[in-house]
Amino acid sequence: MLSPLNHQRRPRALRLLAVATTALVLSGCSLYGARPPVEPDWTPRGSVPAMVAFAPGGGSDRSARVIAQALNELEAGFDVNVENKEGGSGAVGWSTFLSEEGNGNTLLVAETAINTLPKVYDVPFTYRSFTPLVMFAEDSRIVVAPKDSPYRTCAELVEASKNQRVVAGSSGRTGADSLVVHELTEEGASIDVVPYGSTGEVLTALLGGQIAAAPASAASAKPYLESGDFIGLCTMTEKRYDDPLLGTVPTAKEQGLDATVTIWRGVLGAGGIADVQRDYWIARIHEAMNSQTYRDYLAKDLLIPANLSGAEFGAFLDRYDQRMQEIFG
C-alpha cells in the first residue's frame, strides 16, 4: 500500500519522466538532421556526379563533359560523371539539385538560364540556392540568315522589320536566343518569334525557309557559314571573333546597334557546403583549366575565356541577375 506522500510524488515523477523523454526525442531528431562536421583536410572520393539540366548534345552538356574530363585527368582520387536531368528548360535538373544541400561530393555545371528561368516561371530555386565555384567561359551569339536573304546586316533586318513582317526562330524563352531578340527589339526591331526546342531545330527551320533569321552559337553556325548555306548578319559580341571566317562578320555595335549578349558558363556546388569543400573544388577546377582539354574546348567552341571564382563569381552573378531582372522582370 502506497503512503499518501508516495502517492503524491508518483504523478510528479511521471510528469518529469515524460518531459525528459520528450526532450530526448527532440534532441535525437535534432541530431539526426544535423550535418556531421567537415574535416579540414576534406577531399571528395569515389564517383562525383556533375549535373547538367539539359539534354545530351547541347552546349551545356558539352561544357560539363569537358570540365569532367579535365578534372578526371588530374587523377586526384575521384571520378566525375556527367548526369543529365533535362526538362522544363532546366527547371527539373536545378530543382532536383536542391536536394543535394550540404553535399560537397557533387557538382552542377550551369549557365545563364539559371538566372533567367526564375524571372519567367515559378520555380523553387534561384542562382543563390547554390554555391558559386568557378565561371570558366563566356559565350555569345551570331545572327545568321539564308544565303539569299534580302538582309545583309542586323541593321538592315531591324530597319526592314519596322515596315514588314520579319520572323525569327528562338530555342527558348529564357536562353541566349531570347536575349538577342530583346537586344534587337530595344534597337527598334519588331520581330515575330517562333519557338523551337533546340538550336538544331532552329537552324533546320532556317535552312527550310520557315524563318528569316536566327541567333545561334558561333560553333553551331560556323559549319553553315563554311558551306555557304548561311550568311552572318552580325555578332552580339563586344569584339569580332578571332577566327578567319567569323572574324569577317561585323559586330552589331559596328553597325550602329547598341546590342551585345553575354552568356556565362560555370560550375556551382550545392547550397550550404563547407568552406573547405568550396575551396577544394575551386582549386581543382583552376588546375583543370590549365589542361589542353580545356584550351581545345575554348578554341573549338569559339568561347571567350573567363576565370571568376568564389565571391568574385558570386558578385558577377548578382550583377548579371540585376540585368536579367530588367529584361525579364
Side-chain angles (χ1 to χ4, degrees):
M1 179 177 177
L2 291 174
S3 69
L5 183 59
N6 286 338
H7 184 69
Q8 291 171 1
R9 287 177 175 172
R10 188 173 182 181
R12 183 171 180 271
L14 290 174
R15 287 196 300 270
L16 290 174
L17 179 60
V19 170
T21 302
T22 302
L24 182 61
V25 170
L26 291 175
S27 174
C29 290
S30 176
L31 291 172
Y32 181 78
R35 296 178 195 146
V38 178
E39 298 296 328
D41 59 349
W42 177 91
T43 58
R45 284 291 177 264
S47 179
V48 176
M51 182 182 290
V52 181
F54 298 96
S60 295
D61 176 72
R62 173 159 166 70
S63 65
R65 294 184 187 280
V66 167
I67 292 299
Q69 179 181 340
L71 284 169
N72 289 338
E73 288 172 357
L74 300 176
E75 297 184 349
F78 55 76
D79 183 26
V80 180
N81 297 290
V82 175
E83 293 185 356
N84 300 86
K85 291 190 182 296
E86 69 269 23
S89 299
V92 172
W94 292 325
S95 296
T96 300
F97 200 71
L98 284 172
S99 66
E100 300 294 343
E101 177 83 15
N103 182 6
N105 218 70
T106 187
L107 299 171
L108 175 67
V109 181
E111 38 99 306
T112 292
I114 205 169
N115 291 98
T116 59
L117 193 69
K119 311 295 182 195
V120 179
Y121 299 107
D122 183 16
V123 292
F125 60 83
T126 71
Y127 72 99
R128 290 182 178 174
S129 303
F130 312 114
T131 302
L133 297 176
V134 178
M135 178 174 135
F136 56 79
E138 289 182 319
D139 201 352
S140 189
R141 284 295 182 267
I142 179 171
V143 181
V144 293
K147 60 184 178 183
D148 57 354
S149 170
Y151 324 117
R152 313 310 286 182
T153 67
C154 285
E156 290 181 8
L157 182 146
V158 169
E159 194 61 31
S161 71
K162 298 175 182 178
N163 303 305
Q164 64 191 60
R165 186 170 184 249
V166 174
V167 182
S170 174
S171 60
R173 287 185 62 196
T174 60
D177 292 359
S178 63
L179 298 178
V180 173
V181 173
H182 170 83
E183 291 291 307
L184 295 179
T185 300
E186 288 286 292
E187 292 301 303
S190 178
I191 300 173
D192 289 343
V193 179
V194 178
Y196 293 90
S198 66
T199 297
E201 292 179 14
V202 172
L203 298 182
T204 298
L206 190 61
L207 274 174
Q210 299 167 27
I211 53 178
S217 68
S220 298
K222 187 175 180 180
Y224 296 95
L225 296 173
E226 289 174 329
S227 67
D229 290 309
F230 293 165
I231 58 170
L233 302 186
C234 72
T235 70
M236 305 300 286
T237 52
E238 289 284 351
K239 299 178 181 179
R240 292 196 186 196
Y241 281 101
D242 183 16
D243 178 84
L245 176 59
L246 294 179
T248 65
V249 182
T251 67
K253 282 195 168 185
E254 288 180 80
Q255 299 173 9
L257 303 175
D258 186 17
T260 58
V261 169
T262 300
I263 305 109
W264 63 266
R265 297 192 182 280
V267 184
L268 296 89
I273 62 173
D275 289 351
V276 65
Q277 295 171 320
R278 178 200 62 201
D279 295 344
Y280 177 90
W281 282 120
I282 289 174
R284 296 295 82 72
I285 294 167
H286 281 160
E287 288 182 45
M289 289 168 64
N290 289 324
S291 69
Q292 191 63 45
T293 296
Y294 169 76
R295 291 194 291 270
D296 289 347
Y297 161 65
L298 292 180
K300 184 174 182 180
D301 284 37
L302 299 162
L303 299 177
I304 303 162
N307 189 357
L308 298 177
S309 59
E312 192 177 15
F313 184 17
F316 168 87
L317 290 176
D318 290 339
R319 295 191 299 271
Y320 194 92
D321 201 68
Q322 289 175 3
R323 176 58 178 153
M324 295 303 102
Q325 181 64 35
E326 294 170 5
I327 296 173
F328 293 99

